[in-house]
Amino acid sequence: MSTPVRVYGGWRERRGFGIGSLSGRQTAFGLVAVLMVLLCLMMVPRALPLLAVPVGLALAAVFTRVRGESLLSITSRHAQWQRAKSRGRTSYNATQTPELPGVLAQVSMIAEDGYVVLYDKPRRTLTALVPVEPQGVTFATADEITDWMKRWGGWLSHLGYVPNVAHVVVTVHTAPGPADVSDDEPAEGLAADVMRDLRALSVSRCVARTVVSVTVHTGGSDVPAAVQRLQEVLSSLETLNTCGVTVLEAMSDHDVTQWVRSCYDPSLDHGTNGQWLDARPTAAVEQWDNYRHDSGISAAFMWDECPGDGLSAHTLNRLLGPANYVKRVSMVFEPISAHVAAREVDRQAEAASFRSEYRRRLGRDETARERLDIQKARQTAHEQASGSGLVDVGLYAVVTARGEQDLESCAADLHNRAGEARIRLRRAYGAQAQSFAATLGLGYLPRHGW
């Protein structure tokens, strides 16, 4: 089955890597089960009553959907989580473990000129974090926004020709600002009325930060050579200055440590040292549906379905905008190598043509949706041949509250915001710590190790 391809601002977006569809193993298991049944019936027809129950249960486990996910996938993940819990892998204490918790345990910091690179030894990746300041779309014209999107798409397309680029993650972190009122606030008059109106708004004061994380594979080369390639990609980030954002200097060791530590401890009101181990939480405990860490408790989500149509510049405003709780939304862009993208779009165009011819031979009328899919597949192949890139897109989101009761209301608000953006999120049951780590921008993605 081909993967739908959608046009978005001059580059190509494939459906995200949610967990709603059957995995390769599940599809293979179902196919093998059917073939085994047919083979046994051909050899021993009397075995049908004996095979009916076990094979039926196996197929039901694969194809039965619970909240859009197969029952086999849920059961398997729950068993893995229970096994990890029995081995003590779901809890963390800094006094007993010198590394960061869980999947970030072997991430180390390499100092460079003015910034740092995070080296993930098990996955052989290098990551650099670069803060940016978005200009916003409130006062931008439609032509300016279109030009920004074209330049952003051009930069992503360029990454398809750069070897060993793993992915780019754009993380938007928002949190309520300080609620204290200054002593010199006017007591009466128009200014006092305005200040009272602002205090009445739950998001009148907020702290927002946007970080772009660039990750490259080390491949078969040594770390210094991979760092050089990462520097070349970072130098191309200057292009983003024409995409509606201002690119700041890459994060130093102190900045990265402060960033990670504040995500684990939202109530942190003082700075940390520049040492990497200072980014650790004091303690953390992963539950099936939440992740408790220091002064906060979080719920992590990943998208189950991306929007079916093109997005406007204002579609994601509410999802990425400030709220009265701590929230991080990470958009993941994984450029597909140019030679792989060419084969992919050709395969999709051929598959679309095959389905159309198959329906015609069966005498079935073509629906409007099927006709549109064929047009998009052919248009994708044409534009890719003209230089457009192919990009895998995904999304992870985390909401953090002070207690479990507040957490559920925050999660409900996030679902509403995602619905307004026509994005369907699913709670990352059994993978809360991994999905939480994905929103830190340190180069880790659950689908590459979960």
Side-chain angles (χ1 to χ4, degrees), residues 254 257-258 261 268-274 278:
H254 173 79
T257 302
Q258 179 72 16
R261 187 71 179 90
L268 187 68
D269 56 357
H270 57 84
T272 60
N273 298 326
D278 293 328

PDB file of all heavy atoms in Angstrom, residues 254 257-258 261 268-274 278:
ATOM      1  N   HIS A 254      26.029  25.807  29.227  1.00  0.00           N
ATOM      2  CA  HIS A 254      25.134  26.316  30.273  1.00  0.00           C
ATOM      3  C   HIS A 254      23.697  26.389  29.772  1.00  0.00           C
ATOM      4  O   HIS A 254      22.757  26.048  30.507  1.00  0.00           O
ATOM      5  CB  HIS A 254      25.608  27.695  30.729  1.00  0.00           C
ATOM      6  CG  HIS A 254      24.669  28.368  31.687  1.00  0.00           C
ATOM      7  ND1 HIS A 254      24.616  28.043  33.025  1.00  0.00           N
ATOM      8  CD2 HIS A 254      23.729  29.323  31.487  1.00  0.00           C
ATOM      9  CE1 HIS A 254      23.689  28.779  33.621  1.00  0.00           C
ATOM     10  NE2 HIS A 254      23.141  29.563  32.704  1.00  0.00           N
ATOM     11  N   THR A 257      22.159  22.821  29.471  1.00  0.00           N
ATOM     12  CA  THR A 257      21.905  22.281  30.807  1.00  0.00           C
ATOM     13  C   THR A 257      20.689  22.935  31.434  1.00  0.00           C
ATOM     14  O   THR A 257      19.823  22.258  32.018  1.00  0.00           O
ATOM     15  CB  THR A 257      23.135  22.478  31.700  1.00  0.00           C
ATOM     16  OG1 THR A 257      24.261  21.837  31.099  1.00  0.00           O
ATOM     17  CG2 THR A 257      22.907  21.884  33.073  1.00  0.00           C
ATOM     18  N   GLN A 258      20.588  24.252  31.316  1.00  0.00           N
ATOM     19  CA  GLN A 258      19.449  24.973  31.878  1.00  0.00           C
ATOM     20  C   GLN A 258      18.150  24.572  31.190  1.00  0.00           C
ATOM     21  O   GLN A 258      17.107  24.412  31.832  1.00  0.00           O
ATOM     22  CB  GLN A 258      19.681  26.482  31.736  1.00  0.00           C
ATOM     23  CG  GLN A 258      18.545  27.350  32.262  1.00  0.00           C
ATOM     24  CD  GLN A 258      18.471  27.343  33.766  1.00  0.00           C
ATOM     25  OE1 GLN A 258      19.426  26.937  34.433  1.00  0.00           O
ATOM     26  NE2 GLN A 258      17.355  27.780  34.309  1.00  0.00           N
ATOM     27  N   ARG A 261      17.180  20.938  32.329  1.00  0.00           N
ATOM     28  CA  ARG A 261      16.832  20.913  33.751  1.00  0.00           C
ATOM     29  C   ARG A 261      15.484  21.570  34.016  1.00  0.00           C
ATOM     30  O   ARG A 261      14.688  21.082  34.829  1.00  0.00           O
ATOM     31  CB  ARG A 261      17.926  21.637  34.557  1.00  0.00           C
ATOM     32  CG  ARG A 261      17.737  21.521  36.064  1.00  0.00           C
ATOM     33  CD  ARG A 261      18.029  20.092  36.526  1.00  0.00           C
ATOM     34  NE  ARG A 261      17.877  19.956  37.953  1.00  0.00           N
ATOM     35  CZ  ARG A 261      16.739  19.629  38.569  1.00  0.00           C
ATOM     36  NH1 ARG A 261      15.667  19.388  37.843  1.00  0.00           N
ATOM     37  NH2 ARG A 261      16.695  19.499  39.868  1.00  0.00           N
ATOM     38  N   LEU A 268      11.797  25.436  38.744  1.00  0.00           N
ATOM     39  CA  LEU A 268      13.172  25.888  38.949  1.00  0.00           C
ATOM     40  C   LEU A 268      13.244  27.401  38.736  1.00  0.00           C
ATOM     41  O   LEU A 268      12.910  27.905  37.672  1.00  0.00           O
ATOM     42  CB  LEU A 268      14.110  25.176  37.980  1.00  0.00           C
ATOM     43  CG  LEU A 268      15.600  25.415  38.175  1.00  0.00           C
ATOM     44  CD1 LEU A 268      16.073  24.776  39.482  1.00  0.00           C
ATOM     45  CD2 LEU A 268      16.387  24.844  37.002  1.00  0.00           C
ATOM     46  N   ASP A 269      13.679  28.131  39.761  1.00  0.00           N
ATOM     47  CA  ASP A 269      13.740  29.592  39.686  1.00  0.00           C
ATOM     48  C   ASP A 269      15.161  30.116  39.763  1.00  0.00           C
ATOM     49  O   ASP A 269      15.382  31.296  40.021  1.00  0.00           O
ATOM     50  CB  ASP A 269      12.904  30.214  40.811  1.00  0.00           C
ATOM     51  CG  ASP A 269      13.338  29.731  42.192  1.00  0.00           C
ATOM     52  OD1 ASP A 269      14.245  28.871  42.259  1.00  0.00           O
ATOM     53  OD2 ASP A 269      12.764  30.206  43.194  1.00  0.00           O
ATOM     54  N   HIS A 270      16.132  29.240  39.551  1.00  0.00           N
ATOM     55  CA  HIS A 270      17.518  29.685  39.575  1.00  0.00           C
ATOM     56  C   HIS A 270      18.300  28.920  38.517  1.00  0.00           C
ATOM     57  O   HIS A 270      17.862  27.886  38.005  1.00  0.00           O
ATOM     58  CB  HIS A 270      18.146  29.444  40.958  1.00  0.00           C
ATOM     59  CG  HIS A 270      18.087  28.014  41.409  1.00  0.00           C
ATOM     60  ND1 HIS A 270      19.020  27.068  41.026  1.00  0.00           N
ATOM     61  CD2 HIS A 270      17.180  27.355  42.180  1.00  0.00           C
ATOM     62  CE1 HIS A 270      18.695  25.903  41.556  1.00  0.00           C
ATOM     63  NE2 HIS A 270      17.594  26.039  42.254  1.00  0.00           N
ATOM     64  N   GLY A 271      19.441  29.426  38.144  1.00  0.00           N
ATOM     65  CA  GLY A 271      20.250  28.812  37.109  1.00  0.00           C
ATOM     66  C   GLY A 271      20.976  27.579  37.602  1.00  0.00           C
ATOM     67  O   GLY A 271      21.017  27.270  38.796  1.00  0.00           O
ATOM     68  N   THR A 272      21.543  26.851  36.661  1.00  0.00           N
ATOM     69  CA  THR A 272      22.329  25.659  36.971  1.00  0.00           C
ATOM     70  C   THR A 272      23.748  25.858  36.449  1.00  0.00           C
ATOM     71  O   THR A 272      24.032  26.789  35.705  1.00  0.00           O
ATOM     72  CB  THR A 272      21.711  24.409  36.318  1.00  0.00           C
ATOM     73  OG1 THR A 272      21.689  24.600  34.892  1.00  0.00           O
ATOM     74  CG2 THR A 272      20.298  24.188  36.818  1.00  0.00           C
ATOM     75  N   ASN A 273      24.619  24.983  36.845  1.00  0.00           N
ATOM     76  CA  ASN A 273      25.985  25.037  36.357  1.00  0.00           C
ATOM     77  C   ASN A 273      26.055  24.522  34.917  1.00  0.00           C
ATOM     78  O   ASN A 273      25.082  24.012  34.374  1.00  0.00           O
ATOM     79  CB  ASN A 273      26.901  24.208  37.265  1.00  0.00           C
ATOM     80  CG  ASN A 273      26.938  24.756  38.680  1.00  0.00           C
ATOM     81  OD1 ASN A 273      26.862  25.971  38.880  1.00  0.00           O
ATOM     82  ND2 ASN A 273      27.057  23.871  39.656  1.00  0.00           N
ATOM     83  N   GLY A 274      27.207  24.665  34.309  1.00  0.00           N
ATOM     84  CA  GLY A 274      27.355  24.252  32.928  1.00  0.00           C
ATOM     85  C   GLY A 274      27.654  22.787  32.742  1.00  0.00           C
ATOM     86  O   GLY A 274      27.808  22.332  31.614  1.00  0.00           O
ATOM     87  N   ASP A 278      24.311  18.195  35.617  1.00  0.00           N
ATOM     88  CA  ASP A 278      23.403  19.070  36.347  1.00  0.00           C
ATOM     89  C   ASP A 278      22.035  19.154  35.688  1.00  0.00           C
ATOM     90  O   ASP A 278      21.091  19.698  36.269  1.00  0.00           O
ATOM     91  CB  ASP A 278      23.992  20.476  36.463  1.00  0.00           C
ATOM     92  CG  ASP A 278      25.223  20.505  37.350  1.00  0.00           C
ATOM     93  OD1 ASP A 278      25.276  19.704  38.303  1.00  0.00           O
ATOM     94  OD2 ASP A 278      26.133  21.319  37.095  1.00  0.00           O
TER      95      ASP A 278
END
